[in-house]
Each structure stands twice: as structure tokens, then as C-alpha cells.
Amino acid sequence: MPPSPTYRASFSIGDEAAAKRVVDVLTEIFFDGDAAVAAFEQPDGRWDVTLHFADAPDQAFLREIVEKNAGSAIAATLTFDTVEAKDWVKASLEDLVPVPAGRFIVHGSHDRARVPHNKLGIEIEAALAFGTGHHGTTRGCLLLLDHVLKSGRPTNLLDLGTGTGVLAIAAAKALHRAVLASDIDAPSVQVARENAALNGVRNAVRAIRATGFAAPDFAKAGPFDLVLANILANPLRQLSGPMARHLAPGAQVILSGLLTPQAPAVIAAYRARGLVPLRHLKVEGWSSLLLKKVG
């Protein structure tokens, strides 16, 4: 059976502040996994905002939201189309080169032979899940993971919002430890499992479908001493309380998926839960944070 298409809605907006405001609203509305929201800055300073839906969206409803929060002129630029899964796969990897991030290097199967012997290769094939390593948020997480591993060896790990599983695979390969990986999206969970098998860590990466920390698997597996969460700013803020309750004393947390102006609000949410920032890494306009639980 051929893979199903995804449905895409796109519009452009003039400046970062306006883009942040609209992305925050859209993320709140589609928090339960109905859509994936992304924003990217163009060379001329404008921002492209894109939503991907598994099912055809209510176009009138979405246009009304954009008009209410960005104005009628922006809403008029809103376009809708479909993206065939096989075309997305082809476009995502064929022209991409291996991406280094500290000791890690993310690559497709066509670049397997180009991985240096002194690097940990993570082979990721594109699919309907986010995180091939070529996005600034994923690379930021990998760089912070590399930094954490230079001074310690965490033993109980969680990759929250795993997408393709790249972060869970990186941790499992570097530490030879079991990693719990979760995502709200069933196709992402399946992709993460397939990529874990592809990278020889099928038995180390346990991928589950779960929203937030609601599943009993988290209580059974925790408390965690390292959590990686490459999601979006609003969900990360909302998860600060549940995450803190699932952390061991002294645990470290790597957060990403943040536009750089969103980082202070996320830091404040976690500081209120007893986590202090250790590093703030900016890659391609996106922020990745390393925090530590104190007390």
C-alpha cells in the first residue's frame, strides 16, 4: 500500500516577532498532535510558516486563525497543498551531505562510506517524522549531548518527542545504554524503531507512543538523569512540571525546537521547577538549552 500524503498549509510573515506570536498560537491550538508547526527565516528577513497535517485541515478555520493573529493581508498569502510521502523522502536526503555534530555525524544510506572512522555515524532515512539531523534544532541537541558526554555517563535516558529517533540512537550508540523514546505521532514511533534497527541499537531504543508524561512507562523507567526533548517552545513550557517530577537529583535536560527569542520564557518555566541553565547554544537561528536539576 503506498504511503499516504500529508497536507500542508503555508504562509509568509514580515518579521520575527509576528512569526513568533502566530507560531505560539498555532502550537497551542494543535498541541495534541493534529499538526506540526515550523517557522524558517528567509534571507530577506521574512519568515515562512508551515503546518503539516496527517488529515486534510479545515481551511476556513485555519485562515480565520491566521487573520485574527496576523491580519488579513497575511491570511491572504495562506496556501494549501498536499505532499506525497515518496516525494518528501526523495527531496529530503538525495542532495543532503553528512552533518557533523561533535562526535556524531548524521547521514543517509548514500553517504554511509563517507563517515570518518573516529565518528559515531547515525544513519537516518527521511520519512514522515522530523529530525534528519540537517535542522539546527537536531544539530544543537547533538552538540549539547556531545558536551554532556565529555564529563559524565548518564545511565537512565529519555528522548521525548523522538521523531526519527536520531537523538535516542545517538545516546544509545555513545553510551551503550537503554533509551526510552516517545512521540505523540504513531508514524514517528514506527520510523524511530526502524532507524534504531538500521543503526544496530534495536534492543537499546524502546520507542513508544505517548502524549507528554501520561503513559505509565515513564514512571516505571524513571527517574531519568538525562532527558532530550526537541519539540517546540509551548509544549516544552507546559511539560516543565511533569518533566521535573520525572528527573533524578542532578539530572540534565537538553531542550530544543525553540526560536531564539522563545528561549528566555522556556528557561524561566524550568527555573521555576528547580532547573538552572548551563549552556545556551544557537544554531541557524534556533536555540538549544542544557539545564540541570538542583536541590
Side-chain angles (χ1 to χ4, degrees):
M1 181 177 179
S4 301
T6 56
Y7 299 86
R8 181 171 59 190
S10 308
F11 61 93
S12 295
I13 196 163
D15 60 73
E16 184 174 318
K20 175 183 179 298
R21 182 175 63 252
V22 176
V23 167
D24 281 349
V25 171
L26 292 170
T27 302
E28 293 280 3
I29 291 172
F30 297 112
F31 174 59
D32 290 331
D34 297 322
V37 186
F40 299 94
E41 186 177 15
Q42 298 304 312
D44 63 0
R46 293 184 64 80
W47 285 73
D48 289 340
V49 180
T50 303
L51 298 90
H52 288 270
F53 300 84
D55 300 312
D58 184 332
Q59 296 188 14
F61 173 67
L62 187 56
R63 198 176 297 278
E64 181 181 342
I65 294 170
V66 174
E67 182 171 359
K68 181 178 179 180
N69 291 278
S72 57
I74 300 300
T77 70
L78 185 60
T79 60
F80 297 88
D81 63 352
T82 58
V83 184
E84 294 298 328
K86 58 182 176 62
D87 292 339
W88 195 94
V89 170
K90 183 178 180 180
S92 293
L93 275 182
E94 281 188 348
D95 297 326
L96 294 179
V97 297
V99 175
R103 74 187 66 186
F104 306 106
I105 186 163
V106 185
H107 63 92
S109 59
H110 58 293
D111 280 319
R112 193 178 296 157
R114 297 173 64 184
V115 178
H117 294 299
N118 64 338
K119 297 288 185 180
L120 283 176
I122 305 167
E123 186 169 319
I124 300 293
E125 293 300 350
L128 293 180
F130 293 95
T132 61
H134 296 82
H135 194 281
T137 60
T138 308
R139 187 162 181 264
C141 284
L142 289 172
L143 287 168
L144 288 178
L145 175 60
D146 183 56
H147 171 77
V148 167
L149 298 184
K150 288 177 181 177
S151 58
R153 293 185 64 82
T155 59
N156 205 8
L157 301 96
L158 169 65
D159 178 11
L160 189 72
T162 191
T164 57
V166 60
L167 300 179
I169 292 165
K173 294 188 80 167
L175 290 165
H176 305 288
R177 297 276 187 182
V179 182
L180 178 63
S182 71
D183 205 286
I184 63 175
D185 178 55
S188 293
V189 172
Q190 182 58 35
V191 167
R193 290 171 179 165
E194 293 171 357
N195 282 329
L198 178 66
N199 283 271
V201 290
R202 180 202 300 269
N203 295 329
V205 175
R206 183 164 69 94
I208 64 170
R209 185 181 184 186
T211 299
F213 285 88
D217 301 72
F218 297 104
K220 293 177 182 177
F224 303 101
D225 57 359
L226 178 62
V227 175
L228 305 106
N230 182 10
I231 314 178
L232 289 168
N234 281 347
L236 285 174
R237 289 204 305 265
Q238 295 176 30
L239 288 168
S240 60
M243 187 181 296
R245 291 192 291 272
H246 286 80
L247 295 176
Q252 296 187 84
V253 175
I254 295 172
L255 306 178
S256 197
L258 321 172
L259 294 169
T260 295
Q262 297 172 324
V266 174
I267 291 171
Y270 281 80
R271 192 187 292 275
R273 304 291 182 175
L275 284 91
V276 298
L278 301 180
R279 290 177 71 90
H280 181 176
L281 185 63
K282 300 175 184 178
V283 180
E284 299 168 10
W286 295 86
S287 284
S288 298
L289 306 172
L290 174 63
L291 304 101
K292 183 176 183 178
K293 185 176 181 180
V294 297

